[in-house]
């Protein structure tokens, strides 16, 4: 029996291994795979002898990175919000549109009217674009149903996307995304429904990998958020949090208190919250697409994150209202241009740190023996091209679990 199923050689590697400096660059690298797992990744000169295989791929000096990871999306939904985009161009704010029944609630209406098959079909088009850019792992949130049947339909559609495509899909229950119109003025009762009805039922059906909440003045208070996170913890579910996007409700510190995998957005996070995230090991997921699309002025406190050693991931936040973005490559450029992340930070943010934000770094996010063989192979001269270019896709090939796709 051969020692490897596939070997990629004459490659330059950005391993993203925490055991190496920076991007973990190997100039003359080799990757060997067996059974969908990496058995060797490193200098060709140090590769084990006898890597016999019928499938040797000459990379001709191309770069290989881990497959990209989009760790925060709302990819499954009905309809679109192009009309609200026009309203914002005319001067209406995101909050004003939301308070008039638009925003999330308009997508809720469209999603409730869509069948599971329709949700899969429309999300598939968005997922195709991300896969074509080298994405091999993606998180998909619910939160456009706000009642059990539609939340279930969204999560089932998300699971189906993972079954239909060569991509790992992690599902996040975001039932506490907004107050549904039929529960107007009754946030207490709705949160009780999220905690006592929806979350246990969906968890019992195996549809939830993590739980998220929108902690914001136009959504749910810190106390209500704590109820949801506490219930998730009781059910032994991982937690994440939309935190401090539009104001400082101390969501970063709250996420840390509950040991969240990540706190996301964070434009208004303060130093105490950032320090708490570092102590808890909570990853900061920054979302430049939403910052750009909503024309926000306050950027996340990147300098504080660096100062306190908080790990930084970034994602598309692909959604119909505040970030209709389906390019993780463009999200990297935005992260560098708008938030002043470095090239190394951007690439780590969509591989190694994005894996941490999903609790998956034990299996993906870097090129190391024992991890899934998820690769992106690029036509480029240097890694900076992944961040520098706008509207250009240098992907040469994509490998998922050891198989070219």
């Amino acid at each position: 029996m051969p020692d490897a199923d596939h070997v990629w050689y004459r490659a330059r590697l950005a391993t993203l291994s925490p055991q190496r400096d920076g991007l973990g660059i190997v100039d003359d690298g080799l990757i060997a795979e067996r059974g969908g797992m990496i058995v060797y990744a490193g200098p060709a000169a140090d590769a084990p002898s006898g890597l016999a295989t019928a499938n040797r791929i000459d990379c001709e000096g191309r770069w290989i990175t881990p497959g990209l990871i989009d760790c925060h999306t709302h990819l499954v939904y009905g309809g679109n919000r192009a009309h609200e985009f026009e309203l914002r161009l005319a001067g209406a704010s995101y909050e004003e549109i939301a308070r008039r029944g638009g925003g999330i609630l308009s997508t809720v209406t469209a999603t409730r009217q869509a069948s599971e098959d329709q949700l899969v079909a429309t999300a598939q088009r968005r997922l195709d674009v991300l896969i074509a850019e080298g994405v091999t792992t993606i998180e998909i949130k619910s939160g456009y149903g706000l009642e059990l049947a539609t939340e279930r339909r969204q999560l089932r559609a998300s699971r189906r996307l993972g079954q239909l495509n060569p991509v790992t899909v992690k599902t996040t229950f975001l039932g506490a995304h907004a107050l549904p119109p039929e529960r107007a003025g009754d946030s207490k009762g709705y949160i009780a429904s999220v905690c006592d009805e929806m979350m246990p039922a969906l968890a019992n059906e195996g549809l939830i990998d993590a739980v998220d909440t929108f902690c914001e003045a136009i959504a749910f208070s810190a106390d209500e958020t704590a109820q949801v996170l506490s219930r998730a913890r009781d059910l032994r579910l991982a937690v994440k949090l939309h935190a401090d996007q539009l104001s400082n409700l101390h969501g970063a510190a709250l996420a840390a208190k509950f040991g969240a995998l990540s706190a996301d957005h964070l434009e208004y996070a303060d130093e105490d919250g950032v320090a708490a995230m570092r102590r808890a090991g909570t990853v900061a997921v920054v979302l430049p697409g939403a910052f750009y699309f909503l024309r926000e002025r306050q950027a996340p406190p990147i300098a504080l994150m660096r100062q306190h050693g908080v790990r930084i991931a970034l994602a598309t936040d692909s959604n119909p209202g505040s970030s209709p973005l389906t390019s993780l490559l463009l999200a990297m450029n935005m992260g560098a241009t708008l938030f002043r992340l470095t090239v190394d930070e951007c690439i780590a943010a969509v591989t190694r740190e994005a894996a941490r934000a999903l609790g998956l770094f034990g299996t993906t996010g870097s090129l190391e023996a024992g991890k899934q063989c998820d690769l992106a192979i690029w036509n480029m001269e240097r890694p900076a091209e992944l961040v520098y270019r706008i509207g250009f896709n240098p992907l040469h090939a994509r490998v998922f679990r050891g198989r070219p796709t």
Side-chain angles (χ1 to χ4, degrees), residues 23 302 306 312 314 332 335-337 339-349 384 387:
L23 296 178
I302 300 298
R306 289 173 179 146
I312 301 172
L314 66 81
M332 279 197 281
T337 303
F339 297 163
R340 312 311 295 169
L341 295 175
T342 67
V343 165
D344 284 12
E345 284 173 332
C346 286
I347 295 173
V387 181

Side-chain angles (χ1 to χ4, degrees), residues 108-289:
V108 168
T109 299
T111 304
R112 287 179 175 183
Q113 294 170 351
S115 69
E116 184 179 316
D117 286 345
Q118 288 171 326
L119 292 174
V120 170
T122 55
Q124 182 67 60
R125 294 195 290 270
R126 295 184 278 270
L127 181 58
D128 285 343
V129 181
L130 289 163
I131 287 174
E133 286 192 348
V135 170
T136 54
T137 302
I138 187 168
E139 183 249 24
I140 303 177
K141 302 179 191 294
S142 66
Y144 291 125
L146 308 186
E147 47 85 27
L148 181 57
T150 310
E151 290 289 312
R152 176 185 287 119
R153 204 154 60 244
Q154 276 194 276
L155 291 165
R156 284 176 57 88
S158 301
R159 287 281 197 238
R160 279 179 58 188
L161 289 168
Q163 295 163 1
L164 293 169
N165 295 276
V167 65
T168 298
V169 173
K170 302 297 286 184
T171 56
T172 297
F173 172 59
L174 183 56
H177 196 193
L179 194 61
E182 66 272 15
R183 305 297 287 267
D186 183 26
S187 62
K188 180 178 179 181
Y190 179 66
I191 289 296
S193 175
V194 167
C195 293
D196 300 334
E197 177 191 2
M198 287 190 259
M199 198 190 309
L202 297 170
N204 187 57
E205 293 168 28
L207 293 173
I208 303 176
D209 294 317
V211 173
D212 196 351
T213 304
F214 189 17
C215 182
E216 194 56 69
I218 63 171
F220 297 100
S221 69
D223 287 344
E224 291 165 337
T225 298
Q227 275 186 260
V228 176
L229 300 186
S230 179
R231 183 61 172 139
R233 194 163 62 178
D234 290 343
L235 293 170
R236 299 188 177 182
L237 296 168
V239 298
K240 304 167 70 68
L241 189 61
H242 280 63
D244 303 331
Q245 178 186 7
L246 305 173
S247 62
N248 183 9
L249 293 187
H250 306 292
L254 185 61
K257 177 181 177 181
F258 283 91
L261 289 173
S262 72
D264 303 30
H265 287 290
L266 297 170
E267 279 84 342
Y268 287 84
D270 58 25
E271 185 165 8
D272 287 345
V274 171
M277 288 175 61
R278 174 65 181 91
R279 291 192 296 271
T282 298
V283 177
V285 179
V286 297
L287 303 167

Side-chain angles (χ1 to χ4, degrees), residues 11-26:
R12 289 179 284 180
L13 310 181
T15 67
L16 277 300
S17 169
Q19 308 306 317
R20 298 176 180 269
D21 293 334
L23 296 178
I25 289 175
V26 176

Side-chain angles (χ1 to χ4, degrees), residues 33-83:
E33 167 271 333
R34 182 172 60 240
M37 307 297 288
I38 296 173
V39 294
Y40 178 78
D46 296 338
S49 60
L51 280 177
T53 175
N55 297 292
R56 292 180 61 84
I57 298 98
D58 185 351
C59 293
E60 301 177 318
R62 294 183 177 89
W63 282 89
I64 303 180
T65 70
L68 304 189
I69 300 172
D70 197 350
C71 65
H72 180 132
T73 85
H74 306 251
L75 206 69
V76 173
Y77 57 84
N80 69 72
R81 305 231 292 267
H83 175 59

